[in-house]
Amino acid sequence: MKPRLPLLVLALLPGIGAAADLTGTWRSEFNSQIGLQRYTYELRQDGTALTGRATSEVDAQRRESELREGRVEGDTVTFVELLDFQGNALRIRYRGALTNGELRLVREVGDFAREEIVARRAGAGEASPGGAEGAAPRPGPRRGFGGPIELGPDDKPAFPPVPEGFDRSRDGIPNGTLEMVEYDSRTVGNRRRALVYTPPGYTADRRYPVLYLLHGIGGDEEEWRRGGRPNVILDNLLADGQGVPMVVVMPNGRAQPDDRPGPNPMATAPAFARFERDLLDDLIPFIESKYSVRADREHRALAGLSMGGGQSLNFGLGNPDTFAWVGGFSSAPNTRPPAELVPDPAEARRRLKLLFLSCGNRDGLIRISQGVHAYLKEHEVPHVWHVDEHAHDFEHWRKALYHFSRLVFRDGNP
Ligand code: FER
């Protein structure tokens, strides 16, 4: 038997001397921080140059991207995928080798994510639909940032479903206004932008409460407008006699001179922590000088999505003299450990008007919010814990904003 082994190995190797041609369709399925991804790579090799396109599906979303800077040298394969991810241009680097007819690649999204993937030629060794060959990994539970999702009995909706059309613009109702403003930041040493919603009929004859609404790691001051339609959600709520007219401020939560997310948003995480000073020392005073707003803790709220959810919990709960209403939607790992967030449960119980936590049950970050909820429950700090069927996406965040906005600034809540 033994003498046959080398022959078998040779038979599996690509032709020696004649470099293998990677031209063709390759598929790969792998778990990643944002869930199971299904990729199809259309490659075209011309000498040592490699070009092509990729189609990827994650969580029923389909994306197309271009492959650039591709090289095949010896058995080493490198290329870059340019992916438009929620409006941000991401560079995904691939490096690896063709081994036994399979492309074994390391896929890196900046320092943000690193996966070892295997791509196989379409048709070759693929599980037939419904087939039980076991070639493709089973979807399994969605993996999040660092762990599988485990749901407990408390992880369920706190509210009935949102009304149909809650985030669709409606005819015949009054509309609020969105405007981009700039403020001087002593913290960052430059002028920074924030998008401001004023409610329909906004007038200097009244003073409004203010919600500061924060974006995620790949976002900026436009992210909520781009993906969240906050003005539409608020206009609709008000037209339905729900919620309180409020000013909503959507700043850039990355307090550094270049506040774009860039190709490696994760590298900007320290600037998200630094934003606490910009918010408290620069942005809030600016908003309170420019708009007709109430300037006390009971008329300031802080909420945000993901990285901005972590910021909201950290800064909101950490500054109880400034904020009485706090919301974290799908809060990210930048969230402080619960015992640091709420070191004095009695004070939180006494002073907080609303502490709102929400997450989708298909979001790999849910363990962060589950941990905060468990701590609050154990220490009897009243809070909302709302879990719906979504993932780490704007489906969840639009609905979370709806629910939060219905409750905020209303004593006794609904
Ligand atoms: C992390 C995973 C995700 C993390 C932040 C995020 C700081 C943020 C995600 C988002 O804002 O969408 O490990 O660490």
Side-chain angles (χ1 to χ4, degrees):
M1 284 287 136
K2 270 201 174 137
R4 294 170 71 164
L5 206 59
L7 277 181
L8 179 64
V9 170
L10 275 179
L12 290 169
L13 287 172
I16 291 176
D21 186 355
L22 300 185
T23 301
T25 304
W26 299 77
R27 291 197 215 285
S28 180
E29 271 194 25
F30 54 92
N31 272 316
S32 73
Q33 294 188 341
I34 56 169
L36 181 78
Q37 305 215 36
R38 287 195 182 81
Y39 260 85
T40 303
Y41 302 91
E42 295 289 347
L43 300 182
R44 215 190 129 76
Q45 187 178 346
D46 189 358
T48 58
L50 190 66
T51 51
R53 302 192 56 75
T55 313
S56 55
E57 274 175 50
V58 59
D59 210 43
Q61 285 178 42
R62 203 180 148 86
R63 304 192 177 96
E64 306 228 338
S65 53
E66 212 174 306
L67 306 179
R68 298 263 185 87
E69 301 167 37
R71 314 272 310 160
V72 186
E73 272 155 1
D75 59 3
T76 303
V77 180
T78 53
F79 58 89
V80 168
E81 177 187 353
L82 298 179
L83 179 67
D84 178 27
F85 184 75
Q86 295 172 356
N88 302 298
L90 283 188
R91 265 175 78 87
I92 304 177
R93 289 193 311 272
Y94 293 80
R95 184 179 180 85
L98 183 67
T99 313
N100 294 347
E102 292 177 341
L103 272 173
R104 297 186 163 265
L105 301 167
V106 174
R107 175 180 184 273
E108 285 180 293
V109 192
D111 299 335
F112 184 61
R114 184 176 188 280
E115 290 101 18
E116 292 179 12
I117 71 166
V118 179
R120 298 186 177 87
R121 282 207 185 266
E126 283 187 301
S128 53
E133 280 303 298
R138 284 196 321 116
R142 258 181 76 99
R143 292 209 159 254
F145 297 88
I149 295 169
E150 285 170 36
L151 298 175
D154 288 355
D155 304 337
K156 56 184 195 297
F159 308 105
V162 299
E164 173 67 22
F166 81 105
D167 61 351
R168 273 204 306 275
S169 135
R170 242 191 261 170
D171 289 336
I173 64 165
N175 298 124
T177 305
L178 284 172
E179 64 174 340
M180 192 59 81
V181 299
E182 278 196 11
Y183 62 102
D184 281 317
S185 166
R186 279 184 305 145
T187 304
V188 183
N190 63 0
R191 284 176 72 72
R192 312 199 67 225
R193 281 153 48 101
L195 186 65
V196 179
Y197 167 86
T198 47
Y202 170 83
T203 162
D205 298 340
R206 285 181 67 173
R207 289 193 174 274
Y208 298 83
V210 189
L211 164 61
Y212 294 85
L213 185 62
L214 309 181
H215 61 79
I217 195 152
D220 59 17
E221 66 278 15
E222 293 274 7
E223 184 177 55
W224 270 101
R225 162 153 67 185
R226 217 166 32 230
R229 307 194 273 277
N231 53 320
V232 175
I233 293 171
L234 285 157
D235 289 350
N236 287 345
L237 262 176
L238 291 167
D240 290 340
Q242 308 253 4
V244 167
M246 64 182 111
V247 170
V248 182
V249 180
M250 290 157 275
N252 181 306
R254 199 178 285 104
Q256 61 182 24
D258 176 1
D259 62 10
R260 298 302 97 199
N264 178 11
M266 204 52 121
T268 67
F272 280 83
R274 213 173 297 134
F275 180 67
E276 181 168 9
R277 295 295 6 134
D278 184 71
L279 173 66
L280 297 176
D281 301 341
D282 304 315
L283 178 60
I284 291 177
F286 167 79
I287 293 295
E288 293 177 357
S289 70
K290 180 174 163 74
Y291 293 92
S292 182
V293 294
R294 309 277 296 263
D296 58 86
R297 64 184 296 281
E298 301 208 354
H299 298 91
R300 282 193 210 102
L302 183 59
L305 70 89
S306 196
M307 202 70 173
Q311 287 177 308
S312 298
L313 299 179
N314 294 347
F315 311 160
L317 299 173
N319 294 283
D321 291 340
T322 307
F323 300 104
W325 313 80
V326 177
F329 315 153
S330 324
S331 299
N334 61 329
T335 306
R336 287 194 197 117
E340 283 177 35
L341 278 180
V342 186
D344 184 350
E347 189 198 14
R349 228 175 276 137
R350 198 171 61 248
R351 302 195 76 195
L352 273 174
K353 294 278 187 186
L354 174 64
L355 176 48
F356 179 107
L357 304 173
S358 73
C359 199
N361 67 15
R362 292 188 297 143
D363 185 334
L365 294 184
I366 194 170
R367 67 191 159 83
I368 306 285
S369 303
Q370 285 169 324
V372 180
H373 160 67
Y375 176 91
L376 295 172
K377 185 175 174 180
E378 184 189 337
H379 294 88
E380 297 177 354
V381 178
H383 63 286
V384 169
W385 173 222
H386 174 67
V387 177
D388 69 14
E389 300 284 308
H390 295 296
H392 199 69
D393 57 33
F394 262 109
E395 297 296 312
H396 178 77
W397 300 324
R398 282 195 291 269
K399 292 176 184 175
L401 177 63
Y402 172 90
H403 295 302
F404 182 82
S405 305
R406 256 185 77 241
L407 302 182
V408 72
F409 305 128
R410 293 178 59 173
D411 268 310
N413 289 331

